[in-house]
Amino acid sequence: MSTIAFLNARLIDPASGYDETGHLLVKDELIADFGPALFKDGAPSDAEIIECNGKVLCPGLVDMRVFTGEPGAEHRETLGSASKAAAAGGVTTIIVMPNTTPVIDDVALVDFIARRARDTAIVRVHPMGALTKGLRGEEMTEMGLLGEAGAVAFTDGTHYLAHPQIMRRALSYATFFDALIVQHAHEPALVADGVMTEGELATRLGLQGIPKAAEVIAIERDLRLVEITGGRYHVSQVTCIESIEAIRLAKAKGLPVTCGASAAHMTLNENDIGKYLTFCKLDPPLRREEDRQALVEAVADGTIDVVVSGHDPQDPETKRLPFQQAAFGAIGLETLLPATLALVHQEQITLPRLLQTMTSAPADLLGLKVGHMRKGAAADLTLIDIDVPWILARDKLKSKSKNSPWDERRMQGRALHTMVAGKIVHSA
Amino acid sequence: MSAQTHTADLTFPHRHLLGIDGLTPQEINAILDLADGYVDQNRQANKKNSVLRGRTQINLFFEASTRTQSSFELAGKRLGADVMNMSVKNSSIKKGETLVDTATTLNAMHPDLLVVRHSDSGAVELLARKVSCSVINAGDGRHEHPTQALLDALTIRRRKGRLEGLIVAICGDIMHSRVARSNILLLNIMGARVRLVAPPTLLPTDAERLGVEVYTDMEKGLEDADIVMMLRLQLERMNGSFVPSVREYYRYFGLDYDKLSIASPEALIMHPGPMNRGVEIDSAVADDINRSVIKEQVEMGVAVRMAVLDILSRNLPTGGVS
């Protein structure tokens, strides 16, 4: 029975457009009330008071693309350590990918994630189930049963379901449950041994390139299948102008299509690879500056629905290698908000819109009852100082793995308090 | 002789030679001037000096090489260094040790000069960050092979008297070639005009942004060329993956007298070796003593590597324990 009062906050509910200075009362895990008129006669005497001094209070962030190492590679990240990183980044719900060992393609494994999360995680954790058994791209998983067990969507994670007939059936079958199919869009035969975006820089570095067409072809094919099946389809990360155009066109046709972008692709470009920095080796790869700019615009105008971290912990064994051999992926839970706040400071995107892509948009897409500031809703909240400057130091990161492309970079803004179900789980 | 005369005003402010990228024309000329002196030294009965006496040079080759490794070995020995060769088949890399671990282990043995070849682009750069000695890139993936470009430049400069303004056609598998990348960089720095000649499938993306003219028609690409630089084409790339067959490749991109006649009458033929005779170059053309400088390139290789080892050793700490 705890009561917490946030005083003098800039209250933002991105979904409704609500943006007012006021107070918010949390009672018994729920948002009891909020608004400028609240506490006219003073805050309840039994309430713990948090003076916000005009800082932003919004629904807790939802990150719908997170990899952990549990089960199978706990030395890189556990659900517990990922949840601490999430809390430090203001993230109150993480959606974990099925690319584990074993793969989350069975009801028992969905249960395992739920149980481990309950016992070890300090934020909410939901898994996406595998789209095909063993991520092999051959047989569909039990979408109905997995969904009942708690899988919030279906994806092969870092694999593209390449077989068109199997993808068609998966999309078609998914309509029976109104399930969401999430694709990592790249045509594997065109990616081959590629490690960065094809072009002048890859040529200069002598690295095998990946053509943007590998992503665009994958998306365009899927969109044709969506057209004939009506299945709900989401591209986990779009990264280039051509993909954005394809999505825009599909949305204009009224297809049930959504997509995401990662904080890394919105704030970095291929030049950040510099002299073979493997922390900037991402899948999909970092693109050119014009693609990055297009991505930011598309997030601002709503073509891109959600912003994700793509958090992918890797240890020195997989990253301290020649670029060609190093693993793909970067951690991002703790930088999802700070990195993208730079775009707010540069006035390329408004704060409410940015927050929407990380709160209500992913929550609604996945059918989660979070991401909104509503009376009676779960008190998952993040208090954000959008201005405070700080420098990202590797040893301060909560994640077990330290492969951040923002290592030693200057940041502006971070979560001050993170609350999950009425309980403060992180304070800066 | 010139090796001695140039030493006084010579500055080469680099600890490593990881690539041509980042070198100035003055620095390149300094290496070539020094190498000229070593060409003379190597033609004498007594080929040795003691510039590297007491120094330890390790040749660390993760990728098989006969020519480059022996060239570096000879270069080090002629300068009086203790030279050790390590090749991957004898090393613990095969047992799962990482490149960085190998570097750290070797570094603990206090080498002064580490000559490294690796099949991954950037691997030598990565290794150089982990050691305290001077590192020389003997070829990393498709990225750079700086001593090859330097020896090519020395060969050209000695024959033509200059690099500036020459038309150099680099022909063949540009995409997979570190030799091509280093040569493009060096020749551009020195003011030569570089042309690339290759089938579209063997040209890297955005090649034209490297400051070169790109040709897919060899007859146009060779027009008035002063230098025809042929590249080796790996046989496994000719089975339909990049080009349909040896026979078709040779028809359009093999250097024979017909195609050579389009180039300048004084054009020199170069090849970094090893050659695939009858694939990228006609055997008679390769052996033509009036046109081909392929053997001379090998000779220049030793001299250039001596110059590089010498010039880097001048920046090494001297005296007591570092």
Side-chain angles (χ1 to χ4, degrees), chain A residues 2 41 58 136 142 193 218 239 314 328-329 334 339 353 398 409:
Chain A
S2 69
D41 309 317
C58 67
R136 283 187 297 272
E142 298 163 318
D193 297 326
T239 64
Q314 298 290 340
F328 289 97
E334 290 165 78
R353 172 59 195 155
K398 304 277 191 249
R409 293 225 189 182

Side-chain angles (χ1 to χ4, degrees), chain B residues 91-111:
Chain B
S91 106
S92 47
I93 281 280
K94 289 258 155 145
K95 299 173 202 149
E97 187 179 87
T98 68
L99 177 66
V100 170
D101 289 337
T102 306
T104 316
T105 306
L106 284 179
N107 195 48
M109 299 179 193
H110 299 293

Side-chain angles (χ1 to χ4, degrees), chain A residues 198-209 275-277 288 317 320-325, chain B residues 21 98-101 118 120-123 125-126 129-130 142-143 181 185 204-206 209-210:
Chain A
E198 188 173 281
E200 182 188 349
L201 191 61
T203 292
R204 285 185 185 277
L205 291 171
L207 292 172
Q208 175 91 35
K275 288 281 186 187
Y276 305 99
L277 281 183
R288 294 195 195 146
E317 295 309 305
R320 211 174 53 177
L321 291 171
F323 201 88
Q324 192 80 34
Q325 291 177 31
Chain B
D21 194 19
T98 68
L99 177 66
V100 170
D101 289 337
H118 197 284
D120 285 321
S121 302
E125 184 108 25
L126 174 66
R129 270 183 249 144
K130 309 289 177 187
R142 313 170 175 186
H143 178 224
R181 280 174 182 71
L185 291 165
T205 317
D206 291 346
R209 296 174 73 118
L210 303 178

